[in-house]
Amino acid sequence: MVLLVSWTAPGHRPKAEGLRAYLPYPPAKREAFVERFLALKSSAQLLLGEEAARAVAWLLRLEVRNQAEGKRSAFKTPLEALEKAEAWLHSIGQAKRREAVNLEGLPTAPGYVLSHQEEIRAAAAALRIPAGVLAAIVDNEQYGGDKALGLSRGVREVADETALALAKQEGQAPFSRTLGLAQMSWEDTLRQKPRLERFGAWDPARPFPKTETEAREALKDPYLNLLFTASRLRGLFNALYGLPTEDTRPLEDPWLYYLGPAWHNYPFRAQNLETWEDSFHALFKGLLYQVVLEDSVAWRAKGRLLLPLKRYGPDFPKGTGPVPEFFP
């Protein structure tokens, strides 16, 4: 496995700069904030390692700087962002200790992720990216759609309805229609064949979609939806990290948990290094789900809790159908 921490494409990682200059607090309160920030980073390092702690620190510095400069940010004050990061780390710590994970107050949709965990793991492994990246995208898209004014799926569904109405009047749809767990567009789906073949991730006996109708049909399959999404993300990651198009090495950088959902959801804001609700929470979702999906313990969602279960025994969930067959 290769951990990539150097960048040749500028502008996709926040600068490792000081925090104090962007804090709108008097000296005593500012130093208290910095102390809590450093304690948070230390906790992240103990739980998840040095690279994950660095990613958490980058995100918080970026959020605080965006607040100070009037750019799009997830919170109104640095303290709000810090408290939410602390809440996320607390839940991740519970998962690491295999305790019941309390997600109260955290914007999550774990039921969607856990019910498709095998597909998420398989699709991520096929393109050699962390499973937590795909899991965070699924959570973002499905959580957004479950809200009355969802940030992700809900907004896109409204746009799609508008597009279909206009299509009937004008003969063509002006929007890219997105479908499925990860809200993958059928246009991007048709572009993934070369990369999927390069990674050996596509069954050669299965015809690849060639038309809009075929692409839409394929995206209804949860595994294919995630596989196409993972392929699109891998192309993006190779470009951002300055890797050759044909590079197939495994990627493990925890900053991918921010980059993947941010670029998937809103490329312009991601390029501008803005932070918003989806992109801020996505990094922590990725870290959490990476623990949950790689653990030897099975998990199930119950309300706002994630409960650890034994792999065998009467409590182990039996699933709703046959185990999907993945290629390779």
Side-chain angles (χ1 to χ4, degrees):
M1 297 294 233
V2 177
L3 178 66
L4 298 174
V5 294
S6 62
W7 297 67
T8 55
H12 302 299
R13 185 188 72 182
K15 297 178 181 179
E17 55 191 350
L19 184 65
R20 290 176 175 84
Y22 298 105
L23 293 173
Y25 301 133
K29 188 175 180 180
R30 184 175 63 224
E31 293 308 311
F33 182 97
V34 172
E35 185 175 342
R36 283 179 66 176
F37 168 82
L38 294 175
L40 177 77
K41 185 178 179 182
S42 296
S43 296
Q45 183 168 345
L46 288 172
L47 280 174
L48 303 165
E50 182 178 351
E51 301 305 328
R54 183 179 291 120
V56 169
W58 282 340
L59 179 67
L60 280 169
R61 287 194 185 99
L62 180 60
E63 165 69 14
V64 171
R65 178 176 178 175
N66 285 345
Q67 291 177 16
E69 295 182 348
K71 294 172 67 174
R72 177 62 186 255
S73 60
F75 302 95
K76 294 182 179 180
T77 68
L79 185 58
E80 288 180 282
L82 181 63
E83 289 175 340
K84 192 60 70 174
E86 290 171 338
W88 273 114
L89 260 291
H90 180 71
S91 294
I92 293 170
Q94 291 173 326
K96 289 285 286 186
R97 295 187 296 272
R98 300 178 183 179
E99 302 170 354
V101 179
N102 186 357
L103 298 174
E104 192 64 42
L106 300 175
T108 54
Y112 292 100
V113 173
L114 294 181
S115 61
H116 294 284
Q117 58 186 298
E118 296 300 331
E119 292 96 333
I120 291 172
R121 276 192 287 256
L127 275 298
R128 303 186 181 107
I129 62 175
V133 175
L134 276 183
I137 287 173
V138 170
D139 191 296
N140 269 357
E141 297 295 343
Q142 299 306 317
Y143 175 78
D146 283 344
K147 294 186 296 183
L149 295 174
L151 296 172
S152 304
R153 178 162 55 93
V155 170
R156 291 181 180 179
E157 286 175 351
V158 171
D160 288 341
E161 291 173 3
T162 304
L164 291 176
L166 290 174
K168 293 179 181 179
Q169 300 175 9
E170 303 175 8
Q172 61 180 356
F175 297 113
S176 168
R177 185 162 177 82
T178 59
L179 299 93
L181 283 172
Q183 292 296 293
M184 177 70 176
S185 77
W186 66 264
E187 293 94 334
D188 283 338
T189 295
L190 298 177
R191 302 186 183 105
Q192 303 310 314
K193 184 178 181 180
R195 186 176 300 108
L196 289 171
E197 291 179 341
R198 190 179 307 124
F199 276 81
W202 187 261
D203 183 351
R206 182 171 193 160
F208 195 87
K210 295 181 180 179
T211 66
E212 175 183 344
T213 300
E214 292 174 351
R216 291 186 185 217
E217 188 63 29
L219 289 172
K220 295 178 182 178
D221 182 304
Y223 173 64
L224 293 182
N225 188 281
L226 294 165
L227 185 68
F228 292 130
T229 302
S231 176
R232 176 174 176 265
L233 288 172
R234 182 57 199 246
L236 169 69
F237 293 155
N238 277 9
L240 292 180
Y241 282 85
L243 299 175
T245 303
E246 63 276 8
D247 197 299
T248 60
R249 76 186 72 181
L251 305 181
E252 289 187 320
D253 188 352
W255 191 239
L256 296 172
Y257 301 132
Y258 165 82
L259 284 178
W263 280 84
H264 179 79
N265 183 258
Y266 212 136
F268 175 78
R269 287 179 180 168
Q271 186 174 17
N272 199 32
L273 282 177
E274 297 178 22
T275 46
W276 62 100
E277 293 87 343
D278 280 12
S279 66
F280 181 92
H281 294 295
L283 183 137
F284 295 102
K285 291 181 183 184
L287 292 171
L288 172 66
Y289 285 127
Q290 194 68 25
V291 171
V292 168
L293 297 181
E294 287 187 351
D295 204 338
S296 59
V297 172
W299 298 82
R300 70 181 177 93
K302 183 179 181 181
R304 302 305 301 162
L305 294 175
L306 287 183
L307 300 176
L309 302 174
K310 295 180 180 179
R311 281 289 181 185
Y312 304 100
D315 290 334
F316 188 72
K318 297 298 189 297
T320 57
V323 177
E325 295 183 5
F326 302 126
F327 183 88

